[in-house]
Amino acid sequence: MNEPKVERLKINYKTLEEFQKFREYGLQELSMLEDLQANIIENDSNSPFYGIYVDGKLVARISLYRIDGKYDRYFDPPQDYFELWKLEVLPQFRERDFGTALVTYAKSLGLPIKTNARCRSDEFWLKMGFQPVNYNPVRDRGENPYVWIPSGVQLQR
C-alpha cells in the first residue's frame, strides 16, 4: 500500500462542506467546523489544516497551530512550536494508519509539538513518540498535555 499523501487544506467552502461530514461521525470537541468558519479567508495558503484524501474525499484531518516562542511554557530553549488540535479519521477509514501519517507529517516539520490526549487516546500518543508532561495547574488548565520533542530540545524544568 502506498504511503498516504498529506496535503495542506485550503480554507474555503468546499473544505467546510467536507468538514461537516466529520461532524456527523466525530465528537463535538473534534469538530473543526468552528475553526474553519473563524478562519474563512478563501484559499488561505497559511491554513493550519492538513488532510488525507481517498478517491477525492477527505477522510482524515488534523490542525496544527504555530505558537510563537514568546508563549512557550513547555520547551527549553523556548521556541516556536505546534499545537496539534483535532486529529480525526472517519470511522470507515480507521486502522489504515492515516492518523499515524498525519502525526508523522507534523513531526517532519521539525518543531516541537504539544497536544492533548482526548477520548482515551493516551496509548496512541505514546506509540507516536509523545510523552506526557507533569501537570501544572496554572499552565495546563485542565488539559492533559503530551509533547513530542525533536533532538536538541528538552522540557522546561
Side-chain angles (χ1 to χ4, degrees), residues 52-84:
I52 295 173
Y53 288 87
V54 171
D55 298 327
K57 292 182 174 52
L58 184 66
V59 301
R61 71 215 176 134
I62 192 173
S63 59
L64 292 172
Y65 292 96
R66 189 173 181 135
I67 307 299
D68 190 290
K70 67 184 172 192
Y71 302 110
D72 180 3
R73 299 170 305 188
Y74 292 94
F75 306 105
D76 186 23
Q79 60 195 280
D80 287 8
Y81 67 95
F82 284 114
E83 177 111 24
L84 186 159

Side-chain angles (χ1 to χ4, degrees), residues 20-142:
Q20 289 172 331
K21 294 174 191 158
F22 283 83
R23 179 175 225 157
E24 292 168 18
Y25 295 104
L27 298 169
Q28 181 77 22
E29 71 178 22
L30 293 178
S31 171
M32 284 193 222
L33 186 57
E34 293 83 7
D35 293 355
L36 187 62
Q37 288 169 326
N39 290 292
I40 201 79
I41 303 159
E42 284 294 316
N43 294 322
D44 178 9
S45 61
N46 292 316
S47 164
F49 307 113
Y50 297 82
I52 295 173
Y53 288 87
V54 171
D55 298 327
K57 292 182 174 52
L58 184 66
V59 301
R61 71 215 176 134
I62 192 173
S63 59
L64 292 172
Y65 292 96
R66 189 173 181 135
I67 307 299
D68 190 290
K70 67 184 172 192
Y71 302 110
D72 180 3
R73 299 170 305 188
Y74 292 94
F75 306 105
D76 186 23
Q79 60 195 280
D80 287 8
Y81 67 95
F82 284 114
E83 177 111 24
L84 186 159
W85 279 96
K86 302 172 185 167
L87 169 65
E88 188 177 8
V89 178
L90 290 177
Q92 64 270 38
F93 292 94
R94 293 185 184 150
E95 307 300 326
R96 290 171 60 177
D97 291 330
F98 293 144
T100 298
L102 287 167
V103 174
T104 299
Y105 178 83
K107 289 163 60 175
S108 78
L109 299 174
L111 290 178
I113 302 170
K114 177 204 165 254
T115 192
N116 292 298
R118 293 182 177 88
C119 311
R120 299 180 303 280
S121 63
D122 302 74
E123 192 175 307
F124 173 78
W125 294 113
L126 292 170
K127 185 179 95 176
M128 293 303 305
F130 283 66
Q131 63 188 59
V133 298
N134 289 331
Y135 184 77
N136 175 323
V138 173
R139 178 191 68 195
D140 301 326
R141 299 184 306 271

